[in-house]
Amino acid sequence: MAGRDDGDDWMWAEACRLLMQAEGRQRHSFAPRQAASALPVWHPPADVLETEREVLILVALPGVDPAAVEAAIEDGTLHVAGLRLLPPELRHAAIHRLELPQGRFERRIPLPSGRYAAPVRHSLVNGCLLVRLEKAG
């Protein structure tokens, strides 16, 4: 390519490598896995943020009813599980593309050390399950 030097070529190659790596990680996040129950599951991506008073966990669950999600703390880990199904009105539709994972999901997220007040509260915010863990005393 005219006007490009070796430094530009290296930067372009590195950018392409990083993009391919990110795409692979995204595919890996949504790949079906086997849970302890032997049902196929997918693992939604999650963010963990901490403030002085609480730990906030955002789990990407578009189209999932928060009332149908189980969220509990087990051995210093937040366990989130549930089911994502097509809405009934779409079950007989012709599918041209289906990229959002369907079926049972499960995610175990290690928590920052400390104690948390009960109960585990969660709600849906902009397509993400928001779990608010209040720090205990």
Side-chain angles (χ1 to χ4, degrees), residues 4-5 24 33 39 61 66 71 77 79 82 84 93 99 113-114 120 123 129 137:
R4 261 199 159 160
D5 64 16
R33 306 244 171 63
L39 295 174
L61 292 173
T77 300
H79 179 234
R84 182 176 194 281
E99 293 183 1
S113 61
V120 175
S123 59
L129 185 77

Side-chain angles (χ1 to χ4, degrees), residues 19-85:
L19 279 172
M20 287 174 40
Q21 185 179 34
E23 287 174 356
R25 286 184 179 159
Q26 181 184 24
R27 280 192 302 276
H28 179 75
S29 293
F30 291 111
R33 306 244 171 63
Q34 294 295 323
S37 65
L39 295 174
V41 299
W42 57 277
H43 302 271
D47 293 335
V48 178
L49 308 150
E50 184 174 4
T51 69
E52 283 185 33
R53 296 183 179 167
E54 61 189 353
V55 172
L56 306 168
I57 299 100
L58 289 165
V59 184
L61 292 173
V64 175
D65 179 3
V69 176
E70 304 162 20
I73 297 175
E74 301 171 354
D75 299 323
T77 300
L78 177 68
H79 179 234
V80 178
L83 197 62
R84 182 176 194 281
L85 298 173

